[in-house]
């Protein structure tokens, strides 16, 4: 990236105001400030019953920005009654609403201790936690009870034990449930959004096939009985190479302890010696029904900004941005789209079809900008609600779009003839100057079936 352009992008990312929805009323509370070299701060609370506790606040760190090397984040270590429970990576000088699990607490009075921690960037001096309060949700108590504690990636024995304070940091978590085979039992699955992945899918393919540069992975899955107790032998986790393995590690109460142990954020149940960072994210929320996993980012808009900042800092952004090339350009020039599709039965032999999206602009509708950039493996062959992005000329806005098209193409050798049916476009937005999602300007419901003979169809016009 050329120096002048890079400085302009850094200024936009670091200095633009961060506009966020206010914290809910139940999270209102006092303000705590922890400083480098300063004393620990404490927050006491009384639990009126045994159960899982959650702490919420708006976190900011003056002088910090995830986009600047040497200023990436400030780290706060959180302990309950003297036991290290979780860490908080604060990547912004603007207040960002965060929520962390505190684990199981007994009935009675407890003390939360917050310290400025090692791993903080040199530029970080203090962290302000405003509207801080502890609560004990009842509706999602079982989900909180079994949420994994994720130990930070250390690259043991020769890696940086604090690397998640500057790259691939865990941002948010959620859970999903489904009925188990045994009546009255449920299966709970936990997933985490990381700011990126240093390995695995390359950045242009992430934008085309997943609609973001964050990494989203399921982490841990377990069956619980009608009382919410873990069913022995059912716990599994996503291991290296995306294998599903039986969990054989240790528990803290009902919380399994896992470690990010690969560059693409897969887990191990054997923990490296003395890891300094650990993350017990609040996993009480779930994914909106019928929506892609990226919807959990949509309700936490700051995650898009962090993702963009990491790409700029790591030199992943093409300069100048060119929608014709496959390289990732300025993320403010992309249309972020979520749509729903299903694939029908094959009628022959060959590869399955994927679906990409194409956008035509009013200024020149003869040009089709494609999410897959013409690369068959970058189209989307999974079904359900899925997300993608379409790179457009810099400065394009929703009002400039003439149409959005669905495009069917085989993902490899041959074509098995299966039809692909698109049934909705759930949202389509651009990022604003501060790299935060603008309101969705594109939505559609209906049904268009793409076939080998008729591989494209318009799904939206203004």
């Amino acid at each position: 990236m050329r120096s002048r352009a890079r400085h302009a992008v850094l200024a936009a990312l670091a200095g633009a105001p961060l506009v966020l929805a206010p914290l809910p009323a139940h999270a209102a509370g006092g303000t705590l400030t922890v400083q480098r070299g300063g004393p620990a701060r404490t927050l006491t609370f009384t639990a009126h019953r045994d159960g899982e506790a959650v702490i919420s606040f708006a976190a900011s760190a003056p002088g910090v920005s995830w986009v600047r090397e040497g200023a990436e984040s400030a780290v706060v270590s959180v302990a309950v009654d003297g036991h290290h429970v979780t860490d908080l990576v604060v990547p912004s000088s603007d207040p960002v609403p965060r929520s962390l699990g505190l684990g199981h607490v007994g009935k009675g009075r407890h003390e939360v201790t917050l310290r400025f921690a090692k791993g903080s960037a040199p530029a970080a001096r203090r962290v302000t936690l405003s509207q801080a309060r502890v609560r004990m949700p009842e509706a999602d108590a079982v989900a909180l009870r079994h949420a994994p504690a994720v130990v930070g990636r250390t690259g043991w024995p020769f890696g940086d034990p604090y690397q998640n304070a500057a790259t691939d940091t865990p941002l948010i978590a959620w859970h999903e449930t489904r009925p188990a085979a045994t009546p009255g039992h449920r299966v709970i699955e936990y997933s985490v959004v990381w700011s990126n992945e240093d390995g695995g899918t390359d950045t242009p393919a992430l934008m085309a096939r997943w609609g973001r540069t964050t990494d989203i992975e399921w982490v841990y899955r377990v069956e619980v009985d009608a009382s919410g107790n873990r069913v022995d032998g059912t716990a599994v986790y996503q291991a290296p190479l995306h294998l599903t393995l039986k969990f054989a590690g240790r528990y803290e109460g009902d919380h399994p302890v896992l470690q990010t142990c690969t560059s693409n954020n897969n887990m191990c149940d054997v923990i490296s010696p003395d890891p300094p960072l650990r993350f017990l994210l609040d996993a009480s929320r779930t994914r909106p029904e019928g929506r892609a996993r990226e919807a959990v980012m949509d309700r936490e808009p700051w995650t898009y900004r962090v993702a963009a900042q990491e790409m700029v800092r790591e030199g992943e952004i093409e300069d100048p941005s060119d929608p014709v090339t496959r390289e990732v350009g300025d993320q403010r020039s992309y249309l972020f789209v979520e749509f729903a599709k299903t694939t029908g039965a094959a009628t022959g032999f060959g590869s399955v079809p994927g679906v990409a999206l194409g956008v035509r602009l009013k200024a020149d509708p003869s040009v089709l900008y494609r999410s897959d950039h013409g690369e068959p493996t970058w189209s989307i062959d999974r079904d359900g609600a899925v997300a993608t992005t379409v790179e457009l000329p810099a400065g394009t806005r929703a009002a400039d779009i003439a149409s959005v098209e669905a495009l069917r193409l085989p993902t490899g050798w041959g074509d098995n003839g299966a039809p692909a049916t698109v049934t909705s476009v759930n949202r389509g937005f651009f990022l604003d100057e501060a790299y935060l999602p603008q309101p969705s300007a594109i939505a559609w419901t209906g049904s268009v079936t793409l076939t080998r003979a008729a591989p494209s169809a318009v799904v939206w016009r203004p």
Side-chain angles (χ1 to χ4, degrees), residues 11-12 16 21 59 92 108 119 150 172 174 218 290 310 342 380 400 432-433 440 456:
S92 173
V150 176
I172 52 177
W174 81 95
W218 78 270
E310 189 157 331
T342 57
I380 301 173
D400 301 323
D432 65 17
E433 288 302 309
S440 174
S456 66

Side-chain angles (χ1 to χ4, degrees), residues 20 37 39 48 55 65 111 139 174 216 268 270 277 280 376 419 428 435 438:
L20 297 164
H48 297 291
I55 186 168
S65 177
E111 184 176 83
W174 81 95
I216 302 180
C268 290
V270 177
L277 298 178
L280 184 58
Y435 291 78
Q438 298 182 38

Side-chain angles (χ1 to χ4, degrees), residues 113-149:
T113 304
L114 304 113
R115 300 178 184 274
F116 196 96
K118 291 182 179 180
S120 298
R125 288 291 177 265
R126 68 183 185 276
V127 175
T128 299
L129 306 172
S130 62
Q131 300 176 288
R133 190 168 180 180
V134 177
R135 56 192 175 90
M136 297 183 67
E138 293 189 26
D140 304 298
V142 174
L144 285 169
R145 173 181 165 186
H146 297 277

Side-chain angles (χ1 to χ4, degrees), residues 283-305:
S284 61
R285 301 186 74 179
T286 190
R287 174 169 43 154
E289 186 175 357
R291 296 292 304 278
R293 296 183 301 170
E294 290 71 25
V296 303
M297 291 180 58
D298 297 354
R299 68 189 180 201
E300 302 279 357
W302 61 274
T303 59
Y304 283 91
R305 188 182 193 192

Side-chain angles (χ1 to χ4, degrees), residues 1 14 20 36 84 102 119 122 238 291 313:
M1 180 178 290
L20 297 164
R36 184 187 292 271
H84 182 201
L102 295 178
Q238 185 173 189
R291 296 292 304 278
R313 175 163 49 84

